[in-house]
Amino acid sequence: MGIRADYVTRPREWIASILAREPRFLSAAQIHQGLERVGARVSLSTVYRTLDRLQAKGDITARPDADGEVTYMLCEPSRHHHHAICRACGRVEDVDCAAMEQFAESLRALNGFELDGHAIEFFGKCGACR
Amino acid sequence: MGIRADYVTRPREWIASILAREPRFLSAAQIHQGLERVGARVSLSTVYRTLDRLQAKGDITARPDADGEVTYMLCEPSRHHHHAICRACGRVEDVDCAAMEQFAESLRALNGFELDGHAIEFFGKCGACR
DNA sequence: ACCTCATTTGCGAACTATTCGCAAAAATCC
DNA sequence: GGATTTTTGCGAATAGTTCGCAAATGAGGT
Ligand SMILES: [Zn+2]
Ligand SMILES: [Zn+2]
Ligand SMILES: [Zn+2]
Ligand SMILES: [Zn+2]
């Protein structure tokens, strides 16, 4: 009568398969729509709960888009890297951290990506807080 | 009888002064609380409307925090630069873009900032979309 | 296959952040 | 101060997300 956690269920498989085939950040609502389009009836609550689970497991990365709506993508946050996001189609390509210095050139060379902007945030402790 | 726009009002002055004295990203609710603490009674709607105005004028930068709540800071987005955000106190220091290559060293040298993480996103057009 | 029981799901309600409509208040100009 | 326009506050509306709970489903044992 211990805990028998981690059931394999249809909704979870369906949601994972939606994420697996889309190399872009998707909102919970978009995933829900994707499920409907495939004929998989899953409630929005379950989508949210499953996304929370996947994030806790470290299988997906979450990121609020410009409007603050949270979006999710299959991507291991533990393997440190960055993202190149297509302004037109939203496609996300992983960018190795070492390539950061020559980012413009290496992006174009490696993926044919035409860079037109970037956003960087550094985190740490300021002088006062150290 | 032309348009006589851009009134100078108490609420706008109060909100600007809250932003002026805080070198960190604040949510609309936090600004509203800051106003109350100073005895300035301003509705939350006005806070939102004023923030929209300031953003349209290019005086402040908005950024959704990790939970998707939008936060604002006095900072000209037109002057291209990045931010170093203190994990402990939230203090934001501007980082010149050119310094990006040697970011860890220059950050520590310039501001005594102890870097322990960063987030980067590149934008543009992927090979398929060009 | 069937039974049992823990886990998961769906539903609707609750909650939170943000926006909107409109009448009352404030700012500007004369 | 009076006329006119903009801004404010309020409460209602909206949108994204979370919660509670009864019903459905998955896992394990027989
Ligand atoms: Zn990734
Ligand atoms: Zn593309
Ligand atoms: Zn700045
Ligand atoms: Zn600090």
Side-chain angles (χ1 to χ4, degrees), chain A residues 41-62:
Chain A
R41 258 203 310 15
V42 180
S43 76
L44 197 49
S45 308
T46 296
V47 173
Y48 277 109
R49 282 183 293 225
T50 302
L51 290 170
D52 286 347
R53 261 176 55 89
L54 291 172
Q55 196 177 4
K57 286 207 316 174
D59 289 347
I60 66 178
T61 296

Side-chain angles (χ1 to χ4, degrees), chain B residues 4 7 17 19-20 22 27 50 58-59 70 74 89 91 93 96 106 129:
Chain B
R4 274 182 289 184
Y7 283 27
S17 84
L19 286 168
E22 290 280 358
S27 67
T50 302
D59 289 348
V70 183
L74 212 54
C89 71
R91 176 182 204 91
E93 321 214 21
D96 182 52
S106 54
C129 285

Side-chain angles (χ1 to χ4, degrees), chain A residues 73 75 79 81-83 94:
Chain A
M73 192 183 62
C75 150
R79 178 175 43 84
H81 64 280
H82 304 288
H83 291 141
D94 282 2

Side-chain angles (χ1 to χ4, degrees), chain A residues 4 7-8 10 45 48-49 70:
Chain A
R4 273 182 290 184
Y7 282 29
V8 175
R10 308 285 175 73
S45 308
Y48 277 109
R49 282 183 293 225
V70 183

Side-chain angles (χ1 to χ4, degrees), chain B residues 18-64:
Chain B
I18 292 278
L19 286 168
R21 74 174 190 210
E22 290 280 358
R24 22 196 141 260
F25 282 93
L26 300 174
S27 67
Q30 287 175 318
I31 293 168
H32 189 239
Q33 289 159 17
L35 291 166
E36 283 194 331
R37 222 171 291 125
V38 185
R41 257 200 315 11
V42 180
S43 77
L44 198 49
S45 307
T46 296
V47 173
Y48 276 109
R49 282 183 293 225
T50 302
L51 290 169
D52 286 348
R53 261 176 54 89
L54 291 171
Q55 196 177 4
K57 286 208 313 173
D59 289 348
I60 66 177
T61 296
R63 151 193 127 90

Side-chain angles (χ1 to χ4, degrees), chain A residues 124-130, chain B residues 24 86-91 113:
Chain A
K125 294 225 172 120
C126 70
C129 286
R130 276 171 57 200
Chain B
R24 22 196 141 260
C86 176
R87 286 231 145 93
C89 71
R91 176 182 204 91
F113 195 94

